Amino acid sequence: MELFPPIPLGEWQDTKETLHRFAQVVGKIRLAASARRNHWWNVPFHLTGRGMTTRPMGLVDRNPVFTIDFDFVDHQLIVTTLDGRAISFPLMGQSVASFHNNTLDALAALDVRAGIRIPRPYDLPDSDRPFAEDTEHAAYDPELANRYWQVLSQVALVLEEFAAGFSGKASPVHHFWHTFDIAHSRFSERHVDQPPQVDPVTREAYSRELISFGFWFGDDKFAEPAFYSYTAPEPAGLTTEPLTPATAHWVASNESHLAVLRYDEARGEGDPRAVVLAFYESAYQAGARRAGWDIAQFASPGGITDPQLLVPRA
């Protein structure tokens, strides 16, 4: 299978907008049914061999242990409980409203009392419309939904490989239903004092100094898929640092900057995997140098931290 197959935003935008809202329905159930973790690490999805999963949840909300999985091979949503019971329904032919209702019905049939505290999209243009009333978003192209999962899976493995080089506090590689990106973040553990007006989601996400790396599929602000990185808070002089490859560049975003490598530029290279790894590393070096991190202390070449194991064997 081709590494980083084409996925131009314009070809699947309708399916993407529907899937994004499907993911938010399930993500908000995960939010209610899982123990809170620092920086919201309990909330994102993880990739599987057929799609993506919430991972097991329940107990903390007095529900039985259950899991919700998106299957992008057979194109189903599957709700499973620890005792082996399962209910599924097709992803095709669903509006956001019917998907929302079918998901809640499946949970109820398995004796799971699902709770969505705010049953509307988060930070999307229709955030004032309840999921149960959204019959507008109903596009689902199975080939493009499968392509979305393929790209996520490939990027996840590249991010896992990159993550191996850092031994400090770091997030998993996970897929956020808020921004619909896949990301991995590294932390210095320096506390960040947020202004009082900052919302609770942002306050927790950025309570420590970090450098984040990821991939998104494009949106109305940046209309194409791209690999990215940012340092928060942004240190002075960050955008004077060089990026690899030469096609990567700094892009203004709100009041800070993103390091950006366009997906199509990466996939056009002879070795796209090596190019993306080099891009992430150049962005890390830029942010870490400018923020004064101890780069050598955090180094974990090949996932190894014991110096003895780094000594070549005869």
Side-chain angles (χ1 to χ4, degrees):
M1 181 177 292
E2 178 186 6
L3 181 64
F4 303 152
I7 189 162
L9 179 61
E11 288 188 11
W12 81 297
Q13 188 153 11
D14 289 346
T15 293
K16 174 181 174 287
E17 293 301 321
T18 301
L19 272 176
H20 194 169
R21 287 158 178 80
F22 285 2
Q24 290 215 359
V25 170
V26 176
K28 288 195 171 199
I29 294 169
R30 169 75 193 180
L31 176 63
S34 60
R36 183 161 168 170
R37 294 285 307 279
N38 58 178
H39 312 294
W40 305 108
W41 292 353
N42 59 304
V43 175
F45 296 109
H46 289 212
L47 278 298
T48 72
R50 296 182 68 89
M52 63 189 186
T53 181
T54 58
R55 296 160 288 149
M57 51 190 170
L59 293 185
V60 68
D61 61 346
R62 299 186 179 181
N63 268 310
V65 177
F66 69 103
T67 305
I68 304 178
D69 293 275
F70 286 86
D71 181 340
F72 293 123
V73 178
D74 288 336
H75 304 286
Q76 301 180 88
L77 190 82
I78 308 167
V79 184
T80 308
T81 54
L82 196 59
D83 60 8
R85 292 178 297 151
I87 292 177
S88 64
F89 62 84
L91 295 170
M92 292 179 62
Q94 304 286 345
S95 66
V96 172
S98 65
F99 176 88
H100 168 267
N101 296 338
N102 287 337
T103 301
L104 295 187
D105 288 347
L107 290 166
L110 295 171
D111 304 314
V112 176
R113 302 172 307 281
I116 301 179
R117 191 171 67 86
I118 304 175
R120 303 187 305 274
Y122 178 74
D123 201 24
L124 290 176
D126 57 339
S127 59
D128 59 344
R129 176 171 54 189
F131 293 126
E133 297 177 9
D134 182 2
T135 58
E136 173 190 355
H137 296 100
Y140 187 93
D141 183 314
E143 181 179 352
L144 294 172
N146 182 267
R147 179 67 55 86
Y148 149 75
W149 163 67
Q150 290 175 6
V151 171
L152 279 177
S153 299
Q154 292 176 348
V155 173
L157 289 179
V158 175
L159 280 168
E160 291 282 4
E161 185 176 358
F162 173 69
F166 186 78
S167 65
K169 176 180 174 178
S171 78
V173 174
H174 44 200
H175 181 29
F176 283 95
W177 48 263
H178 166 207
T179 43
F180 218 52
D181 61 339
I182 187 166
H184 155 70
S185 299
R186 299 175 172 182
F187 295 79
S188 73
E189 280 298 277
R190 292 176 187 153
H191 180 78
V192 177
D193 291 320
Q194 301 282 355
Q197 68 272 20
V198 171
D199 66 271
V201 173
T202 303
R203 294 189 72 86
E204 179 60 33
Y206 298 102
S207 64
R208 301 292 185 273
E209 184 181 59
L210 63 84
I211 306 175
S212 193
F213 314 86
F215 168 84
W216 80 83
F217 291 94
D219 55 27
D220 56 349
K221 297 177 183 176
F222 195 94
E224 59 183 298
F227 302 92
Y228 71 83
S229 175
Y230 60 87
T231 303
E234 183 173 311
L238 179 65
T239 58
T240 65
E241 294 285 338
L243 294 170
T244 300
T247 51
H249 57 287
W250 297 101
V251 174
S253 176
N254 298 322
E255 297 179 0
S256 58
H257 295 83
L258 294 170
V260 171
L261 173 62
R262 287 175 166 82
Y263 181 71
D264 286 342
E265 291 172 344
R267 61 185 300 269
E269 297 280 352
D271 188 346
R273 170 185 150 274
V275 167
V276 174
L277 287 170
F279 166 69
Y280 285 144
E281 183 61 28
S282 70
Y284 170 62
Q285 292 290 331
R289 279 195 301 266
R290 287 289 172 172
W293 291 22
D294 189 334
I295 296 174
Q297 176 188 343
F298 287 135
S300 174
I304 298 172
T305 57
D306 188 326
Q308 290 297 317
L309 296 178
L310 293 170
V311 177
R313 301 278 178 166

